[in-house]
Amino acid sequence: MNIVFLGDVSLNGHYNKKYILKEKVFNVDFPNLLPKMYAKGCETEEFHHLIKEDGEIKALVLNYPDYVWVADKKLKVYGIGTVSVDAERRGKGYMIELMNKSLEEMRAEGG
């Protein structure tokens, strides 16, 4: 198992594999459903955490930073999405690892 976290690798070349996994898990056309986040050309790749086995993406989660205003305060928040694990790899704790990494990152970045 190869766990790849934000900033550790560019997803160049993995773009299509990432979306194939998502669509395989959910059976949904995400680029058409949520074009702001998932259409080709959207720059959300750097916000994904991945787990790879033998060079293939087996699990991924999006940890997307954003800001909201509450009263007169600007707060950093995160959205979680693209929660996907290959059916043959479920039960191995991959999503626990990815979510723990996402939570650690949120806390470290003040989210």
Side-chain angles (χ1 to χ4, degrees), residues 22-103:
K22 249 190 335 147
E23 290 172 7
K24 185 172 145 183
V25 170
F26 293 109
N27 195 26
V28 172
D29 181 3
F30 279 89
N32 284 324
L33 181 65
L34 299 167
K36 180 180 175 183
M37 295 298 294
Y38 297 112
K40 191 168 185 169
C42 289
E43 303 298 325
T44 60
E45 290 184 349
E46 68 182 287
F47 304 113
H48 282 83
H49 296 301
L50 313 172
I51 292 181
K52 293 169 40 178
E53 287 183 355
D54 301 321
E56 294 288 322
I57 297 171
K58 298 300 178 183
L60 66 139
V61 66
L62 170 72
N63 187 23
Y64 189 77
D66 205 351
Y67 292 91
V68 297
W69 285 91
V70 177
D72 60 345
K73 294 191 178 207
K74 185 178 179 181
L75 303 176
K76 188 169 190 176
V77 297
Y78 286 83
I80 296 290
T82 323
V83 178
S84 307
V85 179
D86 186 278
E88 297 172 6
R89 300 302 186 271
R90 292 180 187 158
K92 292 182 129 186
Y94 288 177
M95 192 51 60
I96 291 169
E97 290 291 326
L98 293 174
M99 292 302 290
N100 284 338
K101 177 61 179 175
S102 294
L103 289 169

